[in-house]
């Protein structure tokens, strides 16, 4: 790699990692400890695979390219935390539609029918760390992993299976695929999604206590699993999807020194501090890409300008998300 290319990657790592909260540390998946969160880091660790500036720069480029291509947004939502065995029992009945839909457990076994679900409940109650009927503790966590309408449901299910196997090894869990065609609910969601209920206490007695950083890592992990199954998917926070600013790119003849210089047309309106910070990071990332000697980088800078200037580009997806009630 040329020295110029290395400098571009370093700058892209510096500003892109801040933009997407990517950890610059070489960390494995965060280890769990008793009664603490899975991750206490400010940044989202993606593990050793992003341990170099070049790897993180590539990751930032992929995130930005997915944005300008308008790749479908992954949704991983922490719905509720059932307390006590009564709460878990109600939850397993709910996600399986009282045994009408198949549950898949951590061993890959398929549970179908009321009697089989009742056996599963007994196993959760007595196996591993026993659960009392009534409790004030969060004895399980219920997540929904969802993709937009027309996404292949079986690919969503396979990606969810791979993600859960990697992320929740050593925990009991139950996952159920809901689709518009198979869900017996009178008003099924059109979005294919997987309900995942994870027992809070692992087989080693260590408890889950998810934090915001963990939820973002779960989104990243599910999106990666979807891409492995041929489904284009990305994950960006709402502030990235709703940010708008006026930008322009000036084209110069001498592309070896300064192919495209990015200028921002300042707005006089005040913006919240977090939004100003995000826009500053975008500006630095786009300036870096615009000064690259790689044509694809300069094209990405121009694509980002158009993307960020597009009026009302997120209104419809946001309305769709607000109206969607995963059942």
């Amino acid at each position: 790699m040329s020295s110029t290319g290395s400098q571009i990657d370093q700058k892209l790592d510096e500003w892109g990692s801040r933009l997407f909260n990517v950890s610059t540390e070489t960390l494995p998946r965060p280890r769990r400890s008793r009664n603490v969160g899975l991750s206490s880091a400010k940044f989202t660790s993606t593990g050793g695979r992003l341990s170099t500036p070049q790897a993180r720069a590539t990751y930032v480029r992929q995130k930005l390219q997915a944005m300008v291509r308008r790749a479908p947004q992954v949704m991983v939502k922490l719905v509720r935390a059932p307390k006590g065995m009564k709460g878990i029992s109600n939850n397993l009945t709910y996600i399986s539609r009282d045994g009408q839909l198949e549950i898949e457990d951590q061993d890959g076994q398929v549970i179908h029918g009321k009697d089989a679900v009742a056996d599963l409940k007994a196993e959760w109650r007595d196996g591993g760390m026993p659960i009392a009927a009534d409790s004030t503790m969060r004895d399980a966590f219920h997540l929904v992993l969802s993709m937009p309408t027309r996404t292949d449901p079986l690919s969503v299910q396979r990606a969810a299976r791979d993600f859960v196997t990697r992320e929740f090894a050593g925990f009991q869990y139950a996952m159920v695929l809901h689709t518009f065609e198979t869900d017996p609910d009178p008003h099924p969601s059109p979005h294919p999604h997987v309900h995942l209920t994870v027992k809070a206490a692992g087989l080693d007695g260590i408890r889950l206590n998810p934090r915001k950083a963990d939820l973002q890592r779960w989104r990243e992990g599910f999106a990666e699993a979807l891409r492995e199954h041929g489904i284009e998917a990305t994950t960006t926070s709402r502030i990235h999807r709703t940010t708008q600013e006026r930008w322009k790119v000036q084209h110069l003849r001498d592309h070896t020194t300064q192919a495209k210089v990015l200028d921002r047309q300042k707005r006089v309106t005040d913006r919240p501090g977090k939004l100003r910070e995000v826009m500053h990071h975008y500006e630095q990332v786009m300036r870096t890409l615009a000064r690259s000697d790689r044509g694809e980088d300069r094209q990405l800078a121009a694509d980002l300008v158009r993307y960020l200037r597009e009026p009302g580009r997120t209104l419809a997806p946001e309305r769709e998300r607000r109206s969607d009630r995963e059942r």
Side-chain angles (χ1 to χ4, degrees):
M1 179 182 293
S2 67
S3 59
T4 302
S6 179
Q7 291 172 3
I8 292 295
D9 281 353
Q10 289 177 2
K11 294 296 290 184
L12 201 56
D13 170 32
E14 176 186 355
W15 292 105
S17 294
R18 296 180 188 180
L19 180 63
F20 294 118
N21 291 339
V22 180
S23 173
T24 57
E25 299 176 7
T26 306
L27 297 174
R29 187 169 77 89
R31 296 184 60 185
R32 302 183 304 275
S33 58
R34 293 183 182 275
N35 299 320
V36 299
L38 293 174
S39 170
S40 58
K42 179 179 179 181
F43 291 98
T44 301
S45 171
T46 50
R49 66 186 179 87
L50 298 184
S51 59
T52 66
Q54 291 75 23
R56 290 190 295 273
T58 298
Y59 172 80
V60 169
R61 287 185 179 96
Q62 291 172 344
K63 291 275 288 185
L64 295 172
Q65 288 165 353
M67 284 176 56
V68 299
R69 289 198 307 267
R70 294 162 180 79
Q73 289 285 334
V74 163
M75 189 191 79
V76 176
K77 180 168 60 175
L78 189 58
V79 182
R80 60 177 66 87
K83 296 180 180 180
M85 199 57 223
K86 288 182 180 178
I88 292 176
S89 177
N90 291 336
N91 177 267
L92 294 176
T93 296
Y94 170 75
I95 67 173
S96 69
R97 295 296 191 247
D98 201 17
Q100 296 181 73
L101 297 178
E102 292 182 348
I103 292 178
E104 184 176 328
D105 71 5
Q106 69 282 348
D107 299 319
Q109 299 182 26
V110 175
I111 296 98
H112 191 208
K114 281 188 176 183
D115 292 341
V117 173
D119 291 340
L120 177 65
K121 294 175 182 178
E123 181 181 338
W124 276 47
R125 181 190 64 211
D126 303 324
M129 296 292 290
I131 301 175
D134 296 298
S135 173
T136 58
M137 297 181 65
R138 298 185 296 177
D139 291 304
F141 293 95
H142 177 194
L143 290 85
V144 175
L145 293 75
S146 178
M147 282 294 285
T149 307
R150 293 185 297 277
T151 308
D152 176 43
L154 291 181
S155 296
V156 173
Q157 184 182 43
R158 295 186 188 109
R161 181 185 297 123
D162 290 350
F163 158 70
V164 174
T165 299
R166 290 193 289 254
E167 184 65 39
F168 296 106
F171 287 88
Q172 290 177 280
Y173 57 77
M175 52 178 283
V176 182
L177 173 67
H178 285 205
T179 72
F180 185 81
E181 293 77 16
T182 61
D183 191 349
D185 189 275
H187 304 286
S189 168
H191 297 253
H193 58 280
V194 170
H195 286 269
L196 171 67
T197 302
V198 184
K199 192 174 181 179
L203 298 178
D204 54 6
I206 295 175
R207 298 182 64 87
L208 288 173
N209 185 19
R211 307 293 177 85
K212 185 176 181 180
D214 300 305
L215 191 58
Q216 180 61 24
R217 192 183 71 254
W218 293 346
R219 294 189 184 104
E220 295 282 355
F222 183 42
E224 183 176 6
L226 284 162
R227 291 191 292 270
E228 290 171 356
H229 285 273
I231 302 296
E232 190 172 27
T234 188
T235 169
T236 50
S237 64
R238 179 171 296 182
I239 195 168
H240 290 277
R241 298 195 301 272
T242 57
T243 295
Q244 293 196 23
E245 186 69 86
R246 294 178 180 174
W247 306 83
K248 66 178 179 179
V249 173
Q250 294 178 346
H251 300 263
L252 303 182
R253 292 182 182 275
D254 186 3
H255 64 84
T256 60
T257 58
Q258 201 171 23
K260 295 179 181 178
V261 178
L262 189 68
D263 289 330
R264 184 169 66 168
Q265 297 174 339
K266 301 287 187 180
R267 279 186 176 178
V268 296
T269 54
D270 291 333
R271 297 188 303 274
K274 180 61 178 176
L275 184 55
R276 288 197 300 270
E277 179 183 344
V278 167
M279 292 313 303
H280 177 65
H281 294 163
Y282 267 122
E283 179 179 9
Q284 296 303 319
V285 164
M286 289 190 288
R287 286 184 182 277
T288 299
L289 291 169
R291 291 185 172 94
S292 172
D293 57 5
R294 297 174 54 185
E296 54 266 38
D297 281 351
R298 299 195 299 273
Q299 182 61 52
L300 180 55
D303 291 341
L304 280 167
V305 168
R306 286 190 289 271
Y307 177 81
L308 291 172
R309 290 181 64 182
E310 188 175 274
R313 57 182 169 77
T314 60
L315 296 181
E318 289 301 323
R319 283 198 299 268
E320 184 179 340
R321 282 176 173 273
R322 286 195 295 268
S323 63
D324 177 35
R325 297 293 182 267
E326 306 297 1
R327 299 175 176 83

